[in-house]
Amino acid sequence: MDNDDEQEIQKSLLKNSLQKQLDEFQMLSAIFCNAGELQVDDYSCIDNLDSYINGETDRLHTKLDYRFDLPLLQDQKVQILVELPHLYPALEIPRIVIRSSGIPRDQERMLTSKIEQYIEEEVVERDEPYVYQVIGWIQDNFTELLQTTGEKKEHPTVPSKRSDTANEPIVFERLWIYSHHLKSKTKRQTIIKTARDLKLSGFSRPGKPAIICVEGQQSDTQEFWRTIKPLKWQKIQIKFNETETVSDEKEMAALRHFESVFREELFCEMDEDSDTEDQPMSMSLFMKFLEKHSCGYIKKELFGFQNASEAPIS
């Protein structure tokens, strides 16, 4: 078999997988048809997959991801985030994550592991789509899943990373993260929730470009990076990091440049109460924000210019 034949076989497998994903999503849309139950942040991803299947484009620039908002808790809805790799269901498994403000981060991670375990052990026919099977299993067993993962949380097997041992240094870290763009409401919510759960200060600026700054104990800033990096990005990188060893929490607090609560900032000329993430960032507002928080030095690292007069026109 020559390379051309092999490439054609791989392309055929890919198209077949993508078609099954779209067929499954259409089925799910018919089942979870109540307002807000099943949502897609960017419907252009469906158009892109459809165009690739039909041979109208040779480029796949996105993956199909969507989320369920279901009343699994008594007083609030729970999000189930689904991200499908291109070769699901044939060769790859989906990433399915549970998110809720009423569930601690470490318990969310255990729930994700339970879902992965269920797929590995209970989903027999993986040649056909099975997201619906997994969602049904979560709905049927959610109370039990919360109980079992909650019990593990109450009896940790390792000491807390925040225990202050006499000889263990505390390292303060500030990460400056740059991405090509950030529009997905799911990712934006994940960023805010993760930073707040880890007690990090800083900010996130959605849109294009996207800029995220987190500061706090290094073990927590690195946990934040490990959490958001695997999310679907066109491009994301740590542009600059600052570290300093401190003796206690009081000394660490003095190094923070931002308020204790992590916030999303838009830096748009329009009313910031409106949904303005599609608006271009006002560089002048961003520069003022950095100067206000004693971070004017970072503009060189982020954008490659030193003085405000060198900034691109917003």
Side-chain angles (χ1 to χ4, degrees), residues 26 30 33 59 67 69 79 97 129 135 154-155 175 180 184 199 205 230 267 296 308:
Q26 186 175 12
C33 56
R59 183 180 179 189
R67 68 179 184 275
D69 283 346
Q79 286 191 341
V97 179
I135 299 302
E154 292 168 4
H155 303 285
L175 295 181
H180 180 268
S184 165
K199 303 298 188 293
R205 195 281 162 180
F267 308 114

Side-chain angles (χ1 to χ4, degrees), residues 7 15 46 48 72 171 208 215 222 262 290 301:
Q7 288 177 2
K15 286 185 175 183
I46 295 177
N48 177 238
L72 300 181
V171 179
K208 183 179 179 179
E215 53 182 13
Q222 291 300 315
F262 184 90
L290 291 178
E301 302 294 338

Side-chain angles (χ1 to χ4, degrees), residues 178-293:
Y178 184 97
S179 174
H180 180 268
H181 69 272
L182 170 58
K183 292 185 178 181
S184 165
K185 288 184 173 62
T186 302
K187 276 194 285 192
R188 289 165 62 183
Q189 291 169 357
T190 299
I191 288 167
I192 294 170
K193 185 178 189 305
T194 303
R196 290 181 177 179
D197 286 350
L198 292 169
K199 303 298 188 293
L200 299 175
S201 50
F203 70 93
S204 171
R205 195 281 162 180
K208 183 179 179 179
I211 298 166
I212 305 166
C213 176
V214 287
E215 53 182 13
Q217 190 163 328
Q218 187 176 50
S219 56
D220 294 330
T221 55
Q222 291 300 315
E223 173 68 14
F224 175 86
W225 175 242
R226 284 193 296 271
T227 300
I228 72 163
K229 185 181 179 183
L231 303 179
K232 183 181 66 179
W233 303 94
Q234 181 172 329
K235 179 182 180 182
I236 189 169
Q237 64 181 127
I238 296 176
K239 276 279 192 176
F240 193 64
N241 72 311
E242 307 166 70
T243 60
E244 185 169 337
T245 302
V246 297
S247 57
D248 53 34
E249 292 286 343
K250 184 177 180 180
E251 191 174 335
M252 179 180 295
L255 292 175
R256 293 179 186 262
H257 286 332
F258 300 95
E259 294 81 1
S260 58
V261 178
F262 184 90
R263 300 180 184 278
E264 185 174 89
E265 304 280 355
L266 296 178
F267 308 114
C268 294
E269 299 288 356
M270 297 173 61
D271 180 5
E272 294 200 7
D273 290 332
S274 61
D275 192 10
T276 58
E277 67 269 18
D278 286 333
Q279 299 296 320
M281 179 174 69
S282 167
M283 192 61 70
S284 60
L285 289 179
F286 184 50
M287 291 299 109
K288 289 177 183 177
F289 177 83
L290 291 178
E291 295 293 347
K292 176 184 176 182
H293 292 89

Side-chain angles (χ1 to χ4, degrees), residues 163-177:
S163 59
D164 242 352
T165 57
N167 298 322
E168 191 172 330
I170 302 173
V171 179
F172 170 84
E173 182 171 55
R174 183 181 300 111
L175 295 181
W176 294 91
I177 301 168

Side-chain angles (χ1 to χ4, degrees), residues 69-180:
D69 283 346
L70 303 176
L72 300 181
L73 290 175
Q74 185 175 4
D75 56 343
Q76 61 185 291
K77 292 186 176 181
V78 173
Q79 286 191 341
I80 305 176
L81 314 180
V82 178
E83 181 178 317
L84 303 181
H86 288 150
L87 289 175
Y88 160 84
L91 297 176
E92 297 177 288
I93 67 170
R95 183 174 184 268
I96 301 178
V97 179
I98 292 174
R99 289 279 184 265
S100 171
S101 59
I103 302 176
R105 278 285 300 159
D106 54 352
Q107 191 172 9
E108 287 180 353
R109 285 193 291 271
M110 285 188 278
L111 288 169
T112 301
S113 297
K114 287 281 188 180
I115 294 169
E116 292 172 351
Q117 181 181 354
Y118 173 79
I119 292 173
E120 292 288 346
E121 297 178 358
E122 303 297 333
V123 178
V124 179
E125 297 294 334
R126 290 200 212 161
D127 289 337
E128 297 299 323
Y130 48 85
V131 168
Y132 177 63
Q133 177 183 340
V134 177
I135 299 302
W137 174 76
I138 294 172
Q139 289 177 298
D140 293 342
N141 298 277
F142 192 69
T143 300
E144 181 181 348
L145 287 169
L146 283 183
Q147 290 174 347
T148 55
T149 55
E151 288 171 3
K152 290 182 180 180
K153 178 180 180 295
E154 292 168 4
H155 303 285
T157 57
V158 294
S160 168
K161 64 183 175 183
R162 292 188 176 277
S163 59
D164 242 352
T165 57
N167 298 322
E168 191 172 330
I170 302 173
V171 179
F172 170 84
E173 182 171 55
R174 183 181 300 111
L175 295 181
W176 294 91
I177 301 168
Y178 184 97
S179 174
H180 180 268

